[in-house]
mmCIF file of all heavy atoms in Angstrom:
data_model
loop_
_atom_site.group_PDB
_atom_site.id
_atom_site.type_symbol
_atom_site.label_atom_id
_atom_site.label_comp_id
_atom_site.label_asym_id
_atom_site.label_seq_id
_atom_site.Cartn_x
_atom_site.Cartn_y
_atom_site.Cartn_z
ATOM 1 N N ILE A 33 8.180 13.634 8.270
ATOM 2 C CA ILE A 33 9.204 13.736 9.307
ATOM 3 C C ILE A 33 9.511 15.204 9.565
ATOM 4 O O ILE A 33 9.695 15.976 8.614
ATOM 5 C CB ILE A 33 10.513 13.028 8.877
ATOM 6 C CG1 ILE A 33 10.291 11.520 8.715
ATOM 7 C CG2 ILE A 33 11.636 13.301 9.874
ATOM 8 C CD1 ILE A 33 10.066 10.784 10.008
ATOM 9 N N ILE A 34 9.528 15.574 10.825
ATOM 10 C CA ILE A 34 10.032 16.891 11.203
ATOM 11 C C ILE A 34 11.464 16.680 11.695
ATOM 12 O O ILE A 34 11.700 15.902 12.621
ATOM 13 C CB ILE A 34 9.171 17.527 12.314
ATOM 14 C CG1 ILE A 34 7.749 17.785 11.805
ATOM 15 C CG2 ILE A 34 9.815 18.835 12.798
ATOM 16 C CD1 ILE A 34 6.794 18.232 12.888
ATOM 17 N N ARG A 35 12.364 17.353 11.056
ATOM 18 C CA ARG A 35 13.778 17.215 11.422
ATOM 19 C C ARG A 35 14.290 18.594 11.833
ATOM 20 O O ARG A 35 14.184 19.556 11.072
ATOM 21 C CB ARG A 35 14.578 16.672 10.242
ATOM 22 C CG ARG A 35 16.062 16.450 10.501
ATOM 23 C CD ARG A 35 16.725 15.965 9.209
ATOM 24 N NE ARG A 35 18.156 15.790 9.318
ATOM 25 C CZ ARG A 35 18.761 14.638 9.589
ATOM 26 N NH1 ARG A 35 18.048 13.547 9.782
ATOM 27 N NH2 ARG A 35 20.080 14.564 9.658
ATOM 28 N N ILE A 36 14.804 18.673 13.037
ATOM 29 C CA ILE A 36 15.335 19.941 13.540
ATOM 30 C C ILE A 36 16.832 19.774 13.775
ATOM 31 O O ILE A 36 17.257 18.889 14.520
ATOM 32 C CB ILE A 36 14.626 20.364 14.843
ATOM 33 C CG1 ILE A 36 13.122 20.553 14.580
ATOM 34 C CG2 ILE A 36 15.246 21.657 15.382
ATOM 35 C CD1 ILE A 36 12.329 20.927 15.816
ATOM 36 N N THR A 37 17.589 20.615 13.113
ATOM 37 C CA THR A 37 19.041 20.576 13.266
ATOM 38 C C THR A 37 19.489 21.861 13.939
ATOM 39 O O THR A 37 19.201 22.962 13.448
ATOM 40 C CB THR A 37 19.741 20.451 11.898
ATOM 41 O OG1 THR A 37 19.221 19.303 11.219
ATOM 42 C CG2 THR A 37 21.245 20.304 12.070
ATOM 43 N N ILE A 43 20.729 16.872 16.290
ATOM 44 C CA ILE A 43 19.637 16.643 15.347
ATOM 45 C C ILE A 43 18.489 15.937 16.053
ATOM 46 O O ILE A 43 18.696 14.978 16.797
ATOM 47 C CB ILE A 43 20.113 15.786 14.157
ATOM 48 C CG1 ILE A 43 21.242 16.486 13.404
ATOM 49 C CG2 ILE A 43 18.962 15.498 13.204
ATOM 50 C CD1 ILE A 43 21.925 15.607 12.379
ATOM 51 N N TYR A 44 17.282 16.399 15.803
ATOM 52 C CA TYR A 44 16.077 15.779 16.354
ATOM 53 C C TYR A 44 15.179 15.377 15.196
ATOM 54 O O TYR A 44 14.992 16.156 14.267
ATOM 55 C CB TYR A 44 15.313 16.753 17.244
ATOM 56 C CG TYR A 44 16.080 17.264 18.449
ATOM 57 C CD1 TYR A 44 17.062 18.238 18.305
ATOM 58 C CD2 TYR A 44 15.817 16.768 19.726
ATOM 59 C CE1 TYR A 44 17.762 18.710 19.401
ATOM 60 C CE2 TYR A 44 16.511 17.240 20.829
ATOM 61 C CZ TYR A 44 17.487 18.211 20.660
ATOM 62 O OH TYR A 44 18.175 18.679 21.747
ATOM 63 N N GLU A 45 14.608 14.202 15.264
ATOM 64 C CA GLU A 45 13.654 13.777 14.231
ATOM 65 C C GLU A 45 12.374 13.297 14.887
ATOM 66 O O GLU A 45 12.413 12.537 15.857
ATOM 67 C CB GLU A 45 14.239 12.660 13.364
ATOM 68 C CG GLU A 45 15.141 13.165 12.268
ATOM 69 C CD GLU A 45 15.445 12.081 11.252
ATOM 70 O OE1 GLU A 45 14.904 10.966 11.384
ATOM 71 O OE2 GLU A 45 16.240 12.365 10.341
ATOM 72 N N TYR A 46 11.268 13.746 14.342
ATOM 73 C CA TYR A 46 9.966 13.369 14.880
ATOM 74 C C TYR A 46 9.054 12.981 13.723
ATOM 75 O O TYR A 46 8.978 13.707 12.729
ATOM 76 C CB TYR A 46 9.313 14.544 15.605
ATOM 77 C CG TYR A 46 10.194 15.245 16.601
ATOM 78 C CD1 TYR A 46 11.016 16.297 16.194
ATOM 79 C CD2 TYR A 46 10.204 14.870 17.943
ATOM 80 C CE1 TYR A 46 11.828 16.951 17.102
ATOM 81 C CE2 TYR A 46 11.014 15.533 18.852
ATOM 82 C CZ TYR A 46 11.827 16.567 18.427
ATOM 83 O OH TYR A 46 12.641 17.218 19.320
ATOM 84 N N LYS A 163 10.221 18.323 0.402
ATOM 85 C CA LYS A 163 10.670 18.923 1.662
ATOM 86 C C LYS A 163 10.385 20.424 1.734
ATOM 87 O O LYS A 163 10.530 21.137 0.751
ATOM 88 C CB LYS A 163 12.176 18.681 1.806
ATOM 89 C CG LYS A 163 12.768 19.087 3.138
ATOM 90 C CD LYS A 163 14.272 18.920 3.142
ATOM 91 C CE LYS A 163 14.679 17.467 3.067
ATOM 92 N NZ LYS A 163 16.158 17.293 3.139
ATOM 93 N N THR A 217 17.401 24.676 12.061
ATOM 94 C CA THR A 217 16.854 24.414 10.727
ATOM 95 C C THR A 217 15.718 23.418 10.902
ATOM 96 O O THR A 217 15.923 22.322 11.424
ATOM 97 C CB THR A 217 17.922 23.801 9.806
ATOM 98 O OG1 THR A 217 19.040 24.675 9.751
ATOM 99 C CG2 THR A 217 17.363 23.571 8.403
ATOM 100 N N VAL A 218 14.520 23.836 10.518
ATOM 101 C CA VAL A 218 13.365 22.947 10.669
ATOM 102 C C VAL A 218 12.941 22.479 9.282
ATOM 103 O O VAL A 218 12.671 23.295 8.394
ATOM 104 C CB VAL A 218 12.192 23.659 11.373
ATOM 105 C CG1 VAL A 218 11.023 22.693 11.568
ATOM 106 C CG2 VAL A 218 12.646 24.228 12.714
ATOM 107 N N GLU A 219 12.904 21.177 9.112
ATOM 108 C CA GLU A 219 12.513 20.592 7.829
ATOM 109 C C GLU A 219 11.279 19.720 8.020
ATOM 110 O O GLU A 219 11.217 18.928 8.963
ATOM 111 C CB GLU A 219 13.637 19.719 7.268
ATOM 112 C CG GLU A 219 14.947 20.447 7.055
ATOM 113 C CD GLU A 219 16.080 19.476 6.790
ATOM 114 O OE1 GLU A 219 16.254 19.074 5.648
ATOM 115 O OE2 GLU A 219 16.772 19.109 7.756
ATOM 116 N N MET A 220 10.334 19.865 7.131
ATOM 117 C CA MET A 220 9.206 18.941 7.055
ATOM 118 C C MET A 220 9.388 18.152 5.768
ATOM 119 O O MET A 220 9.345 18.720 4.672
ATOM 120 C CB MET A 220 7.872 19.676 7.006
ATOM 121 C CG MET A 220 7.422 20.261 8.317
ATOM 122 S SD MET A 220 5.762 20.979 8.127
ATOM 123 C CE MET A 220 5.468 21.549 9.797
ATOM 124 N N SER A 221 9.599 16.877 5.902
ATOM 125 C CA SER A 221 9.781 16.029 4.720
ATOM 126 C C SER A 221 8.578 15.111 4.578
ATOM 127 O O SER A 221 8.213 14.410 5.531
ATOM 128 C CB SER A 221 11.045 15.177 4.852
ATOM 129 O OG SER A 221 12.184 15.988 4.897
ATOM 130 N N GLU B 4 27.262 9.582 14.664
ATOM 131 C CA GLU B 4 26.285 10.525 14.133
ATOM 132 C C GLU B 4 24.858 10.142 14.510
ATOM 133 O O GLU B 4 24.051 10.987 14.892
ATOM 134 C CB GLU B 4 26.410 10.603 12.614
ATOM 135 C CG GLU B 4 25.491 11.651 12.002
ATOM 136 C CD GLU B 4 25.674 11.748 10.506
ATOM 137 O OE1 GLU B 4 26.692 11.256 10.000
ATOM 138 O OE2 GLU B 4 24.798 12.329 9.854
ATOM 139 N N VAL B 8 20.669 11.731 16.823
ATOM 140 C CA VAL B 8 19.337 11.822 16.236
ATOM 141 C C VAL B 8 18.323 11.145 17.139
ATOM 142 O O VAL B 8 18.458 9.979 17.482
ATOM 143 C CB VAL B 8 19.312 11.168 14.834
ATOM 144 C CG1 VAL B 8 17.908 11.267 14.236
ATOM 145 C CG2 VAL B 8 20.329 11.827 13.929
ATOM 146 N N LYS B 10 14.571 9.850 17.513
ATOM 147 C CA LYS B 10 13.523 9.475 16.574
ATOM 148 C C LYS B 10 12.352 8.796 17.259
ATOM 149 O O LYS B 10 12.475 8.245 18.332
ATOM 150 C CB LYS B 10 14.078 8.508 15.517
ATOM 151 C CG LYS B 10 15.080 9.102 14.562
ATOM 152 C CD LYS B 10 15.467 8.069 13.520
ATOM 153 C CE LYS B 10 16.372 8.673 12.458
ATOM 154 N NZ LYS B 10 16.773 7.666 11.441
#
Side-chain angles (χ1 to χ4, degrees):
Chain A
I33 296 290
I34 296 172
R35 181 182 177 95
I36 299 178
T37 305
I43 300 170
Y44 299 76
E45 278 193 3
Y46 311 88
K163 187 185 293 183
T217 303
V218 182
E219 302 168 84
M220 285 185 179
S221 296
Chain B
E4 184 178 344
V8 180
K10 292 184 174 179

